[in-house]
Amino acid sequence: MTTSNVKQALGDLNKESFVSLLTKIIGESKFLQNNPPELIPEEDRVVNHVLDCLRPYSTETGGGPLVINHVTYFPGRGNLIVEYPGTEPGKILSFVGMHMDVVTANPNDWDFDPFSLSIDGDKLRGRGTTDCLGHVALVTELMKRLAETKLKLKSTVVAVFIANEENSAISGVGVDALVKAGLLDKLKGGPLFWIDTADKQPCIGTGGMIPWKLHVTGKLFHSGLAHKAINALELGMEALKEIQIRFYKDFPPHPNEQVYGFATPSTMKPTQWSYPGGGINQIPGECTISGDVRLTPFYNVKDVMTKLQEYVDYINENISKLDTRGPVSKYILHDENIRGSLTLTFDEAMSGVACDLDSRGFHVLCKATEETVGHVKPYSITGSLPLIRELKDEGFDVQTSGYGLMATYHAKNEYCLLSDMCEVSFCCIFKMGDVAKDLASGTVGGAAQLIVGHPFDTIKVKLQSQPAPLPGQPPKFAGAMDAVKQTLAAEGPRGLYKAGHCWGWAGVAVSFLACPTELIKCRLQAQSALAVDTGSATVAVKYGGPMDVARQVLRSEGGARGLFKGLVPTLAREVPGNAAMFGVYEALKQYMAGGTDTSKLGRGSLIVAGGLAGASFWGSVYPTDVIKSVIQVDDYKNPKYKGSMHAFRSILATEGVKGLYKGFGPAMARSIPANAACFLAYEVTRSSLG
């Protein structure tokens, strides 16, 4: 089913239903805060609301096609896998990363209650609206709408709502456990979109994270006798300063961070401080500083952990060299043989991701975003997304996106925009899968058209561009078959495919891209027709290949402007010609199908529709193609034609209407099989991709 049909069937996001569900979920957010050991989230509170929404459409109740699997590895902390079955086994499109826990929120710091949804115009306010409960509600509404409409999709659609994303202190609860149990293996069969970023744009880079704890041991004593104490707080502050200085020296900003658009380089920051407690007049004997390293993916996590341990070991060995604070501040009590010390430990670390900017998946997501949002601007952050790198390494085709606001991500007064959720909603989600099929299908279709049709195109251009014979002299080519014979004799079979790769680009590009490639193609194809007869059987070669044509034009024909010679007739050909071709193709398909659903048409019908569509292209614009060809091969220094209209009038005057249809036979002979092959290859490839 096409994206347009999917969009028509699913409609727009039901705002009332979405807001109602989000209200219930945000109302649970106080119990979803993830900061162990004090705050352990209860994700099943969200699971229950999602189940209330989807269970009526499930196989469990007999009310619909949804297959629901509530997977729990820790009491009250479940994950939810929801499948909408497709018609072809093995074809799959998945959405993962919609997590049901949130970061902490202090109501005293907020301008509104963080644990209940409030609405301020377009703003939906509350903890989790952007990260990530808004996405939970959005994808839930998608799965519900699929079940309601019962769309017939070739690909199975899977949504995985996960627990325990915001904190890695406790493992074996969320997506890591699902992967370990093999419950996500089937998702390797298609694109996996991780829905947990923001700003409606592709996130192409994320940071690694190394949670660390620096435990500091000194000696507790009364503050009135400070010379008998080792102040753990002072030691911790000075040690941390030294560690940070060394870290930023060894892991400076990386050049690739600018390429990927990272907002910050790698950082090491303390975020928490704790000590056992005591009176105001007691110098503490121990404390713990906690924080994390945010590492851009161009550095190795293990290398950084090794270096941090080396820094701590050096300080412990040379603790007397560490800066002190005041005349009695010290880290060694020699008379008591006591030394202050540091102990560094790490919680589970994770690596960042740098997406392959040349990958097909990246371009798929960019095109889907551009078509839906209107622009595409990929970005990178040093925030971490658990298991993304591991998923990629294990063979998952992972891309990341999200529809909240980066400005409120993990911040106080968090909100998302209802208009953003409505804008992307279902259409963008399905374009992610649909555009992939378009790209692959178009590539195969273009290749098929090139292989079948290019020899005919070469003969067409040779006939169009051959000079008019002198009085009493025969033309260089007596007709299409004579042109074929002469080309084979002089250039061999390769002559029929000369400039083939240029033609392929011209066939898929818009007029402004097609014009330079068409010019190069025509120059290469026509040069034997325009060559002076030397009496030799070999062709007088003027150009060595496509790049040689481009170089000569840029050097001697007015620079870049020379490559756009013939732009006007190219536009006059491409715009109405493509309108006619695609209009005829769709009309014929619908006529043969007896309606708008053309998915069941056989290959014979597609061949007929594609062939006739190609014929309609040339039937509607062929004279403009003749004008384009003669303009593009005209001599730059001694031009025969002053412009398109002059060429039109000259051909009419010297050759009549017949002159405007030179090469029409080969053009039609090429167009019908080539376009039949192209459209058939496109449809078959697209169908096979689901």
Side-chain angles (χ1 to χ4, degrees), residues 490-564:
E491 305 172 61
R494 291 180 61 185
L496 296 175
Y497 282 92
K498 189 172 289 186
H501 48 299
C502 299
W503 182 91
W505 276 107
V508 298
V510 294
S511 294
F512 283 92
L513 292 178
C515 187
T517 52
E518 282 277 308
L519 182 140
I520 293 169
K521 171 182 74 74
C522 287
R523 293 282 179 94
L524 289 172
Q525 289 174 327
Q527 62 181 331
S528 63
L530 297 173
V532 176
D533 187 2
T534 63
S536 170
T538 60
V539 177
V541 178
K542 181 180 180 182
Y543 301 113
M547 293 306 298
D548 187 41
V549 177
R551 281 192 294 267
Q552 291 198 41
V553 170
L554 289 170
R555 183 172 60 246
S556 60
E557 297 188 28
R561 184 179 178 182
L563 292 174
F564 287 89

Side-chain angles (χ1 to χ4, degrees), residues 585-601:
Y585 181 66
E586 290 299 327
L588 286 173
K589 282 204 305 178
Q590 293 181 24
Y591 173 78
M592 288 185 284
T596 57
D597 184 5
T598 61
S599 60
K600 294 182 175 59
L601 281 177

